[in-house]
Amino acid sequence: MSRRPRTSRQRQTTPRRRGSAHARRPGQPLRRRIRRALPPAGRIAAGLVTAVLVGGLLALINGPWLRVANVAWAGERYTPASQLQRALAALNGDALLMVDATGLARDLEQLPAVSTATVEAVLPDTVRVTIVEKIATFVWQTSAVRLLGVADGTLIGQLALGAQLPADIAAMPLIDDRRVESRNIIVGDRIDAATLTAALRLATVDPAALGSAAVDLDLRLTDDDGFLLVSAGAGWQADFGFYPEGDSGQPGSFEARVESQVAAVRTLFSYEEEAAVRWVDVRDPRRVYWRP
């Protein structure tokens, strides 16, 4: 009787889950690991070090060491030093690390001549201010002072009447305002748009366009006559009058009026010797009057 051959029992294997070989249990929180790593005494020491650091920072901020002792500024030309001193005087003795640089820069930018300002705290005791001023484009002269103005008419600085003008300022249009109200004009005021537009346009009139042999012309503004072009060398004055804001209601009306007035003076000088003329009234270019 033959025996059946023994068959080996096949091992049953359980398929592994994909990725199970790399799966890890979530680790313990860092705080718990530190607690286990540090004995109770170590935790106390760490707390003391933290407290010392925080206390030291507060001491630096509020203590007598990091206090503003020096305030320096740069970039000013038209802004008086006295204005900057008043604006920055409150900083002396303040905590350096608590200086509100953004707020201080915003306050400085309210000064008439200042376009932008930056404020920087420099250890151990200095605040450094850098300003960028607006660009002056004209000089508005009154009976008391010469005022420097920018494109929107704002007056940002002043010069004494008798002071020699620097070359760049001397090249700007100068309007000699002799109106009574001009005595009250100060830095920070603004020349109204209609008056400024007329002044800057008339300041560009070339003597040759008037038929004049003059080298240059002065521009005056008076209560009685309005704008006057004055030739000091030839000794004549041309009255161009006032230019109310309403005159510029129609496009080109203001420029057309100026061109007509210039042409009227040129026509007069083509018939009369310039040296023989003392006064020309071209407020209405259709009716020109003159005096010898």
Coordinates of all heavy atoms in Angstrom, one line a residue, residues 140 173-177 198-204 217-221 226-230 238 240:
W140 N 7.8 135.6 -7.0 CA 6.7 136.5 -6.8 C 7.2 137.6 -5.8 O 7.3 137.3 -4.7 CB 5.5 135.8 -6.3 CG 4.2 136.6 -6.5 CD1 3.7 137.6 -5.7 CD2 3.4 136.5 -7.7 NE1 2.5 138.1 -6.3 CE2 2.3 137.4 -7.5 CE3 3.4 135.7 -8.8 CZ2 1.3 137.6 -8.4 CZ3 2.4 135.9 -9.8 CH2 1.3 136.8 -9.6
P173 N 10.9 133.2 -14.1 CA 10.1 134.4 -14.3 C 9.9 135.2 -13.0 O 9.7 134.5 -11.9 CB 8.7 133.8 -14.8 CG 9.1 132.5 -15.3 CD 10.2 132.0 -14.5
L174 N 10.0 136.5 -13.0 CA 9.8 137.3 -11.8 C 8.6 138.3 -12.0 O 8.6 139.0 -13.0 CB 11.1 138.1 -11.5 CG 11.1 138.8 -10.2 CD1 12.5 138.9 -9.6 CD2 10.5 140.3 -10.3
I175 N 7.7 138.2 -11.1 CA 6.5 139.1 -11.2 C 6.6 140.1 -10.1 O 6.6 139.7 -8.9 CB 5.2 138.2 -11.1 CG1 5.1 137.3 -12.3 CG2 4.0 139.2 -11.1 CD1 5.8 135.9 -12.1
D176 N 6.6 141.3 -10.4 CA 6.7 142.4 -9.4 C 5.3 142.8 -9.0 O 4.6 143.6 -9.7 CB 7.5 143.6 -10.0 CG 7.7 144.7 -9.0 OD1 7.3 144.5 -7.8 OD2 8.3 145.7 -9.4
D177 N 4.7 142.3 -7.9 CA 3.4 142.5 -7.5 C 3.3 143.8 -6.6 O 3.8 143.7 -5.5 CB 2.8 141.3 -6.8 CG 1.3 141.4 -6.5 OD1 0.7 142.5 -6.7 OD2 0.8 140.4 -6.1
A198 N -1.8 134.0 -16.2 CA -1.5 135.2 -17.0 C -0.1 135.7 -16.7 O 0.6 136.1 -17.7 CB -2.5 136.3 -16.6
A199 N 0.3 135.7 -15.5 CA 1.7 136.2 -15.2 C 2.8 135.4 -15.9 O 3.7 135.9 -16.5 CB 1.9 136.1 -13.7
L200 N 2.6 134.0 -15.8 CA 3.7 133.2 -16.5 C 3.7 133.3 -18.0 O 4.7 133.3 -18.6 CB 3.5 131.8 -16.1 CG 3.7 131.5 -14.6 CD1 3.5 130.0 -14.3 CD2 5.1 131.9 -14.1
R201 N 2.5 133.6 -18.6 CA 2.4 133.7 -20.0 C 3.0 135.1 -20.4 O 3.8 135.1 -21.4 CB 1.0 133.6 -20.5 CG 0.8 134.0 -22.0 CD 1.5 133.0 -22.9 NE 1.4 133.3 -24.3 CZ 2.2 134.1 -24.9 NH1 3.2 134.7 -24.3 NH2 2.0 134.4 -26.2
L202 N 2.7 136.1 -19.7 CA 3.2 137.4 -20.1 C 4.7 137.5 -19.8 O 5.4 138.3 -20.5 CB 2.5 138.5 -19.3 CG 1.0 138.7 -19.7 CD1 0.4 139.8 -18.8 CD2 0.9 139.1 -21.2
A203 N 5.2 136.8 -18.9 CA 6.6 136.8 -18.6 C 7.5 136.2 -19.7 O 8.7 136.4 -19.8 CB 6.9 136.0 -17.3
T204 N 6.8 135.4 -20.6 CA 7.5 134.8 -21.7 C 7.5 135.7 -23.0 O 8.1 135.2 -24.0 CB 6.9 133.4 -22.0 OG1 5.6 133.6 -22.5 CG2 6.9 132.5 -20.8
L217 N 12.2 142.6 -20.6 CA 11.1 143.3 -20.1 C 10.8 142.9 -18.6 O 11.0 141.8 -18.2 CB 9.9 143.1 -20.9 CG 10.0 143.4 -22.4 CD1 8.7 142.9 -23.1 CD2 10.2 144.9 -22.6
D218 N 10.4 143.9 -17.8 CA 9.9 143.6 -16.5 C 8.4 143.4 -16.5 O 7.7 144.0 -17.4 CB 10.3 144.7 -15.5 CG 11.8 144.9 -15.3 OD1 12.5 143.9 -15.5 OD2 12.2 146.0 -15.1
L219 N 7.9 142.6 -15.6 CA 6.4 142.4 -15.5 C 6.0 142.8 -14.2 O 6.4 142.4 -13.1 CB 6.1 140.9 -15.7 CG 4.6 140.5 -15.6 CD1 3.8 141.2 -16.7 CD2 4.5 139.0 -15.7
R220 N 5.0 143.8 -14.2 CA 4.4 144.3 -12.9 C 2.9 144.0 -12.9 O 2.3 143.8 -13.9 CB 4.6 145.8 -12.9 CG 6.1 146.3 -12.8 CD 6.2 147.8 -12.8 NE 7.6 148.2 -12.9 CZ 8.0 149.5 -13.1 NH1 7.1 150.4 -13.3 NH2 9.3 149.8 -13.2
L221 N 2.4 144.0 -11.7 CA 1.0 143.9 -11.4 C 0.6 144.9 -10.5 O 1.1 145.0 -9.3 CB 0.7 142.5 -10.9 CG -0.7 142.1 -10.5 CD1 -1.6 142.3 -11.7 CD2 -0.8 140.7 -10.0
G226 N -3.6 146.5 -13.7 CA -3.4 145.0 -14.0 C -1.9 144.8 -14.3 O -1.0 145.3 -13.7
F227 N -1.7 144.0 -15.4 CA -0.4 143.6 -15.8 C 0.2 144.6 -16.7 O -0.4 145.1 -17.7 CB -0.4 142.2 -16.5 CG -0.6 141.1 -15.6 CD1 -1.9 140.5 -15.4 CD2 0.4 140.6 -14.8 CE1 -2.0 139.4 -14.6 CE2 0.3 139.5 -13.9 CZ -1.0 138.9 -13.8
L228 N 1.5 145.0 -16.4 CA 2.2 145.9 -17.2 C 3.5 145.3 -17.7 O 4.3 144.7 -16.9 CB 2.6 147.2 -16.4 CG 1.4 148.0 -15.9 CD1 1.9 149.1 -14.9 CD2 0.7 148.7 -17.1
L229 N 3.8 145.4 -19.0 CA 5.1 145.0 -19.5 C 5.9 146.3 -19.6 O 5.5 147.3 -20.2 CB 5.0 144.4 -20.8 CG 4.6 142.9 -20.9 CD1 4.5 142.4 -22.3 CD2 5.5 142.0 -20.1
V230 N 7.1 146.3 -18.9 CA 7.9 147.6 -18.7 C 9.2 147.4 -19.4 O 10.0 146.4 -19.1 CB 8.0 147.9 -17.2 CG1 8.8 149.2 -17.1 CG2 6.6 148.1 -16.6
A238 N 3.5 149.0 -21.3 CA 2.4 148.5 -22.1 C 1.4 147.9 -21.1 O 1.7 147.0 -20.4 CB 2.8 147.5 -23.1
F240 N -1.5 145.6 -20.2 CA -2.2 144.5 -20.8 C -3.5 144.2 -19.9 O -4.3 143.3 -20.3 CB -1.3 143.3 -20.8 CG -0.4 143.2 -22.0 CD1 0.6 144.1 -22.1 CD2 -0.5 142.2 -22.9 CE1 1.5 144.1 -23.2 CE2 0.3 142.2 -24.0 CZ 1.3 143.1 -24.2

